[in-house]
Amino acid sequence: MTKEYVNLLEKNPDQDPPDYISGFGYLPSSNEYKIVRVYPEGLIQVYTLGSGSGWREKGEIKGDWKRPYYISNAGMLANGALHWLDYATMKIMAFDLAEEKFEEVQSPPCFLPPGYDGKKHHFQLRVLGRFLRVIHLELDKAVDIWSLRKINSNKIDNREEQGSNQCWTWSKEFSILYT
């Protein structure tokens, strides 16, 4: 319609998969569509569709989260952020589309410490019914689905105080046992 086009996802023909991770999301508060990509060295770039400003650099990810070949490729959009699972560190990172910055998301209880048996435990990050979910498959035992939900933190302490003390927590929604 506008005759505008841009090559959003560059790919080096000598590499498969691409040497970056990416995600696409919609931000209702500003009515914007954004594409995010992160390169192996940690460089973060954001493209806002229709802005005409092209790719904008948003700094670098700090720490050891710089290996796209260990990270789930496509970002999962939930709660105004794109989420990726780093299989090497078992960390979930989120890029807030409004603030345009990364933060680590609290891990679900099903994530095991380093050294777990990768042949027996498999994890996937998904969005189902508006919620970020972790699917945990333990071979020959069960499939568990964990959901990240916002709860009132006052109820955690058994207090019914007024206020906006809300926090995010993981809860096991489903468990399917092997028979």
Side-chain angles (χ1 to χ4, degrees):
M1 241 169 138
T2 63
K3 297 183 182 177
E4 172 191 13
Y5 79 93
V6 64
N7 183 8
L8 298 175
L9 303 174
E10 301 167 356
K11 183 176 179 186
N12 181 339
D14 297 330
Q15 289 184 317
D16 188 31
D19 62 349
Y20 56 85
I21 61 167
S22 60
F24 176 76
Y26 175 67
L27 187 60
S29 61
S30 61
N31 194 29
E32 293 177 315
Y33 291 90
K34 296 184 180 188
I35 296 99
V36 178
R37 63 184 179 194
V38 183
Y39 288 92
E41 64 278 1
L43 175 67
I44 305 163
Q45 292 183 325
V46 177
Y47 188 93
T48 303
L49 295 177
S51 70
S53 60
W55 287 101
R56 295 175 287 116
E57 291 190 9
K58 298 303 291 184
E60 290 186 12
I61 295 177
K62 306 296 184 219
D64 61 354
W65 198 73
K66 297 182 179 179
R67 301 172 307 275
Y69 43 87
Y70 288 128
I71 299 170
S72 54
N73 196 21
M76 297 285 131
L77 178 65
N79 311 317
L82 290 165
H83 299 80
W84 292 269
L85 173 57
D86 182 337
Y87 294 103
T89 62
M90 294 311 292
K91 292 181 182 177
I92 299 172
M93 296 299 291
F95 185 82
D96 184 295
L97 291 174
E99 298 289 324
E100 294 191 348
K101 65 179 184 176
F102 267 97
E103 58 188 32
E104 186 176 337
V105 174
Q106 171 190 345
S107 295
C110 63
F111 280 8
L112 302 172
Y116 73 93
D117 184 353
K119 295 177 184 174
K120 192 172 183 180
H121 297 270
H122 300 278
F123 300 92
Q124 286 188 352
L125 196 61
R126 293 287 183 252
V127 174
L128 300 167
R130 294 185 359 237
F131 294 104
L132 184 66
R133 316 256 184 170
V134 167
I135 300 168
H136 173 211
L137 168 65
E138 187 174 355
L139 293 178
D140 299 325
K141 186 175 179 186
V143 175
D144 297 329
I145 300 177
W146 293 79
S147 296
L148 183 63
R149 295 181 182 258
K150 192 179 277 192
I151 63 164
N152 187 334
S153 61
N154 291 330
K155 291 184 179 179
I156 294 173
D157 298 327
N158 294 323
R159 291 179 286 162
E160 293 294 330
E161 298 173 8
Q162 295 293 334
S164 61
N165 295 335
Q166 302 238 329
C167 66
W168 293 93
T169 187
W170 288 97
S171 61
K172 189 189 297 187
E173 298 291 325
F174 305 100
S175 188
I176 304 167
L177 301 175
Y178 287 109
T179 56

